[in-house]
Amino acid sequence: MSQAENTAVSEYSCAAQWQQPATVIVGAGPVGQRLAAELRRYDSERAIVMFGDEPWAPYDRVQLSSWLADGAVDTGLVQNDINLRLHLGMSIERIDRENHEVIDARGIAFPYEKLVLATGSRARIPPLPGIRLPGVFTFRNLSDAQSLMARSVSSRSMVVVGGGLLGLETARALRRFNTRITIIEHSAHLMFNQLDADCAGLLQQHIGETGINVITGAGVKRIVGETRMEGVLLMDGRLIECDTVVLAVGITPNVQLARDSGLHTGRGILVNDHMQTSDADIYAVGECAEHRKTVYGLVAPGFEQAAVVAHVLSGKTAEYGGSTTATRLKVVGCPVMSTGVVETEWPRKTLVYSDRRNNVIRKILLD
C-alpha cells in the first residue's frame, strides 16, 4: 500500500472513530471557514471535517485583488483545532446520501452526520470565438492571481472584460505594473447593478485619471488571433489590440456535485430558509446556494447564511430571510459604497448631496 493510501486509510479511521459523528464541510473558502468558526462558538467538541480542492492553506479570496496590488494575502484563517480535520488539495467526487458518506478523489469514504456544501462558484466564461486562446485569463482564485502576476511582468496591453466590482479591482491592481489597461463593459455604465449613471460617471472619470481606458456600452464579439490572442473585436467593429485578456463577467455556481447526487438545483443549489437542500441532512451556503430564486455573488450574504446553519445545527432557532447587499470598491483609490436596490427610475423621494469640485456624490433613495 502506498504512503498516500496509508494516509487516506488513517484519515478515514480517525474520522470514523470520533465519538460523535462529524459535520462535513465541502469547501474551504471564506464561507466554509466562517461556518467552521461559527459551529465552534456553540460547540467546542464538535467534530468537523473540511475539504478544500485547492492546495493552499485557507486564504481570504476577497483580498485577492489587494494581493495583486500589493502582494499581501491572508492565509491560515482556519485556526488550529484538534477537532477540525482539514483536507487540502482534495475534492469530493460523490455524495452517498443513503449511507451518509462523502467520497473523495481517492475513493475514500468519510461519514457525516450533517453535510454542508460551500462549493462556491467559478468564473463564467462566455462562449466567444477565440476564448480558449493563450493569453485569456480568469481571476477567481490564488492560482489565477499567481498566473496574472507572472503574466503582468511581460504584458504590454491588457483588456479586462467586465466593468463590475471584480473587473474594476482587477484593472486597478494590474495597473501597478504600468501595463496599458482597457476595461470593456457591455452595459451603459460601470457597476451597472450598484450605481446610477451620475455616480458611475464620476467613478469612470476617476478611473480614467489613473491611466485606465474605459469603454462602456460595447459588447465583445470575439477574441482575435490564430495561435495566440492579438486583440478583442467589439460588436461595433472596433478592434482593441492587446496581448492579454482578463474575464470578469460574473460567476457560475458550482452545483455539479449536488446535481449528481440528486439534490434539487436551479442556477444554484436550492435551499429553504434554514439553508437546507432537498435532503434534510445536507445544507448549502455561499455562492453555490440559491435562496428564494437568488444567488448572491458576494461574501457577506454567505457569512449570514453560515451563521444560520451554525444556529440550526446547534439546535437553535434561526431562519435566513435574504440579504441586503452592500458593495465597496477596495483598490481603485476612490471610496465607492452602494447598498440596497439601485433603480434608474425611482418613484420615491431622492436625497442628493453633490460636490463636483471635490468629486463627491451621495444619494439616499427613500421608499
Side-chain angles (χ1 to χ4, degrees), residues 151-216:
R151 179 74 174 190
S152 62
V153 174
S154 59
S155 177
R156 294 294 173 263
S157 178
M158 288 188 175
V159 164
V160 177
V161 181
L165 187 69
L166 180 61
L168 296 181
E169 292 184 348
T170 303
R172 186 67 181 89
L174 291 170
R175 187 72 180 90
R176 67 180 281 216
F177 302 101
N178 296 318
T179 304
R180 188 169 72 252
I181 306 287
T182 300
I183 298 172
I184 298 174
E185 168 57 43
H186 76 279
S187 299
H189 59 73
L190 298 175
M191 293 186 68
F192 192 79
N193 294 323
Q194 292 87 22
L195 301 179
D196 64 12
D198 265 356
C199 296
L202 194 61
L203 175 61
Q204 181 168 336
Q205 175 185 325
H206 169 79
I207 290 175
E209 291 170 353
T210 68
I212 297 174
N213 185 36
V214 178
I215 299 173
T216 58

Side-chain angles (χ1 to χ4, degrees), residues 15 18 21-27 35 39 46-51 87 92 100-102 110-118 281-283 313:
W18 273 329
T23 298
V24 172
I25 303 172
V26 180
L35 174 60
L39 286 171
R46 177 186 293 269
I48 301 173
V49 182
M50 178 183 289
F51 289 86
H87 299 267
I92 293 297
H100 272 58
E101 292 179 333
V102 293
F110 289 79
Y112 67 84
E113 177 191 28
K114 301 293 183 181
L115 173 63
V116 185
L117 302 178
D281 291 325
I282 303 178
Y283 297 74
L313 294 187

Side-chain angles (χ1 to χ4, degrees), residues 120-138:
S121 62
R122 61 189 182 276
R124 188 173 78 84
I125 300 178
L128 297 173
I131 200 72
R132 300 294 181 181
L133 284 170
V136 179
F137 293 81
T138 57

